[in-house]
Structures are given as structure tokens and as C-alpha cells.
Amino acid sequence: MSSAREEILQATTALLEKQGSHATGLNEIIRESGAPKGSLYYYFPEGKDQLVSEAVLAAGQGVAARIRANLADIGLAAFILRIAENVESSGFAAGSPLTAVAMETATTNERINLACREAYGLLVTAFQDYLQTNGVEPGRALEQATFITAAIEGGIILSRTYHTADPLRTVAGQLGLLRFGVF
Amino acid sequence: MSSAREEILQATTALLEKQGSHATGLNEIIRESGAPKGSLYYYFPEGKDQLVSEAVLAAGQGVAARIRANLADIGLAAFILRIAENVESSGFAAGSPLTAVAMETATTNERINLACREAYGLLVTAFQDYLQTNGVEPGRALEQATFITAAIEGGIILSRTYHTADPLRTVAGQLGLLRFGVF
DNA sequence: GTCTATATGCAGATAGAC
DNA sequence: GTCTATCTGCATATAGAC
């Protein structure tokens, strides 16, 4: 696997997370990634749309993998508290690599919008599988997974805006009270 | 009151809602607003940051006013369903004038970030007041209001991304089950 | 695979006429 | 209050050398 390609994707994800798509320039991506400047259009010949779409999808896969790796072990509330810690320790520059891009492009860039759908789908399905494993029937699990995803996304927005992990902790507490999958 | 100034603010809000701050150009704002081109820097001498900050704050005031005007009458679930209809009827171009801007600027533009905090504060307080009126004690009301705000924001993100009001309807249903302020 | 140079366009902002 | 002209800078993208 090309390491330059991976470095470009990772730098792109971090910048999308921090400031969205339109504010992120290709020069900035190259600078942050440390990858060779000439390699950007070599690895991503279709330009920025391709790069952003792939970064969004890779980010969704990464988050879904973390859900699957940790949620069953520690439970939902603790999982969200872990997100809160990550948001905080990033100086509120990270948290949800999808939100800003999804909102910017929902009706203005079809290719990236489709990537966002696919990425969010991975998250929702990961939560849904967890709930079904805990005995929730599929339809109900999808609704609850959608709700959980929405609440976490919203908590990230508020925490990043206010530069405090409190809103995410509140979301963890309130969702924790619901004991999804238990009753 | 100057009508050109108001038209510029309203056009700005709509564009911020649709595509965020960085993707929105001053020329685009003038074109959409129908306001005289020469008046932008006359009414907003500090430039784009001032314009966006004022638009964000005005949007927050507008949303808070709608919460106060309708929530007590129709209840939380119906209120969210009304949001879902608005998002749908805008062709998923509208819904939350704050989210995209808040995420783009959380750590990259202090002035706009402060405007976002103020605006979100207005929403949370409006929900909190509603809950307290229904007998929830203040601390608990703040937590529930934060949770409600987060869940709605997240629902808007998912609905706009998927071009369907379903996620917001799910949020309405799930939050409705909780009967905040009732027990 | 990676480089530099460059094409083209639009961004935000300012000056000064009217 | 509103206009046009213009400054400066950066954006994405491409061409072509190495």
C-alpha cells in the first residue's frame, strides 16, 4: 500500500473534521500530510471531490470499526464518554469527521453527499447490530440506532462549539438512562 | 429599519444553512438577496465575519422565538415533526442555520464561534424554560434541554444527508416516548 | 512518482466617484 | 447609500519536465 496515499487521506480527514470541506485547501492537505506535493493528483486524479469522498468513507469505516470493537465491551454511556474525552483532548478540533462535510454538501455536491450517506450508514448499522445482539428486534433497533447516532452527533456539535465536553457527557447520561437493548 | 440590511441578513442565513460559511461568497449573498451591491460593506463594515456572526445570532433568535411560540401549544414530538416538514419542503437545503457554521468555525474563527455559542444558548434556554414550566427542576431541565437540542440537530443532519424526513421523524418518536416534563 | 510552472477563476476587501 | 474598478491572494486544476 502506498503510504503517501494513506497520509494524504488521513490529513484530509483531520482537516475535514476541524473545518469542513470548503475551508480545506489542497495545499493545506499536502502541507499537513507531509506527502510529496506532486503525488496528490497522481493518487486522486479526479481531484478534490474524489479525495474528500474517499476520506469521508474511510472515516466512516474507521468510526464503525471503533463502535464494533468497543461498544459491546463497555456499554453505550461509557462509549460516548470516550468520545467526549477524544473531543476534549483534541482541543475541540476533532469529533465527527462527517458532520460539517455532510451539511455543506447535502444539496450541493452529489458525489460527496453519497459518500456521506454511505459513511453514516456504516455507523447506524454498527449501532443497530449492537442493539440486535442485545435482543432488540430489527425495526426498533434501526430506530434506536438512528436516534443514538443523532444524539451523539448533536452532542459533538455542542461540545465543539462550547469548548467543553459537558454536552457530550449529558448525552451520555441521558442516553444511558434509556438502557437501549435492556428493556 | 433598513430593508437592504435585512435582506442581506436573510439571504446570508439561507446560504449558511444550505452550504455553510466558507462556501458562501459575498457576491452570492448579494445576488440572492437582491440588495444593492454597494451596500454590503456599508451595512457590514467589518466584512464577512461581522455579517456571518450577525446572521448566526439572528437565526438563533428566530429559532428560539419559534420554540417559545409553538412548543407549549403542540408538544415536543409535534414540534419536531414540524421541523421535519420544513426540512423536507426546502428540498433538504434548509434545517439548522447553525450546524455547518458551528462545525466549520469551532476552533478556527473566534468571533463566529462566540456568535454560535450565543445562538445555541438561546435554543437551549428556550427548551429549558419550557421544561421548567412543566415542572422539571432547573438542573435537570438544562440537561434535558441540551439533550433535546443535540438530538434534533443530529436528526437534521441525517435527514438532510439522506434527503428524507425519516430520521427526524424517528427523533420525534423517540424523544416523544420520553415525555420530558411529564415524569 | 514526483516536480515546477502556470492557467484560470473567484475570494474578500478597499478606494474613490457619484 | 450605492456604484464600479481594482488590489491581492489563494483556490483547483493541468502541462510537461525529470
Side-chain angles (χ1 to χ4, degrees), chain A residues 8 13 22 75 94 114 121 132-133 137 165 175:
Chain A
I8 290 171
T13 300
H22 242 90
L114 292 177
Q132 286 183 224
T133 299
E137 60 92 3
L175 277 182

Side-chain angles (χ1 to χ4, degrees), chain B residues 92-104:
Chain B
F92 306 99
S96 184
L98 306 180
T99 314
V101 178
M103 292 295 276
E104 282 179 293

Side-chain angles (χ1 to χ4, degrees), chain A residues 1-106:
Chain A
M1 274 278 154
S2 153
S3 113
R5 196 179 200 280
E6 289 308 308
E7 279 155 17
I8 290 171
L9 274 177
Q10 283 177 18
T12 302
T13 300
L15 289 168
L16 295 180
E17 207 161 351
K18 181 182 165 200
Q19 61 198 16
S21 173
H22 242 90
T24 298
L26 299 182
N27 289 335
E28 195 180 5
I29 289 169
I30 287 300
R31 196 188 327 126
E32 292 288 308
S33 72
K37 181 161 184 162
S39 57
L40 202 153
Y41 277 93
Y42 176 79
Y43 290 114
F44 302 94
E46 291 152 62
K48 190 177 182 178
D49 279 9
Q50 180 190 7
L51 173 54
V52 171
S53 299
E54 287 199 30
V56 161
L57 186 55
Q61 289 168 337
V63 174
R66 260 174 282 146
I67 296 171
R68 292 182 190 282
N70 299 303
L71 182 54
D73 289 343
I74 64 178
L76 183 59
F79 182 74
I80 298 172
L81 290 177
R82 194 169 289 185
I83 295 174
E85 285 164 26
N86 290 337
V87 171
E88 194 169 34
S89 69
S90 75
F92 305 99
S96 185
L98 307 179
T99 314
V101 178
M103 292 295 277
E104 282 179 292
T105 61

Side-chain angles (χ1 to χ4, degrees), chain A residues 18-19 22-23 91-92 99 102-104 106-107 113 117 120-121 143 147 150 154-155 157 160-163 170 178, chain B residues 18-19 22-23 91-92 99 102-104 106-107 113 117 120-121 143 147 150 154-155 157 160-163 170 174 178:
Chain A
K18 181 182 165 200
Q19 61 198 16
H22 242 90
F92 305 99
T99 314
M103 292 295 277
E104 282 179 292
T107 59
N113 172 246
R117 291 187 198 193
Y120 272 124
E143 292 214 326
F147 184 61
I157 295 166
R160 289 198 55 205
T161 300
Y162 281 102
H163 294 192
T170 296
L178 301 180
Chain B
K18 181 181 164 201
Q19 61 198 16
H22 241 90
F92 306 99
T99 314
M103 292 295 276
E104 282 179 293
T107 59
N113 172 246
R117 291 186 198 194
Y120 271 124
E143 292 215 326
F147 183 61
I157 295 166
R160 291 198 54 206
T161 300
Y162 281 101
H163 294 193
T170 296
Q174 296 286 316
L178 300 181

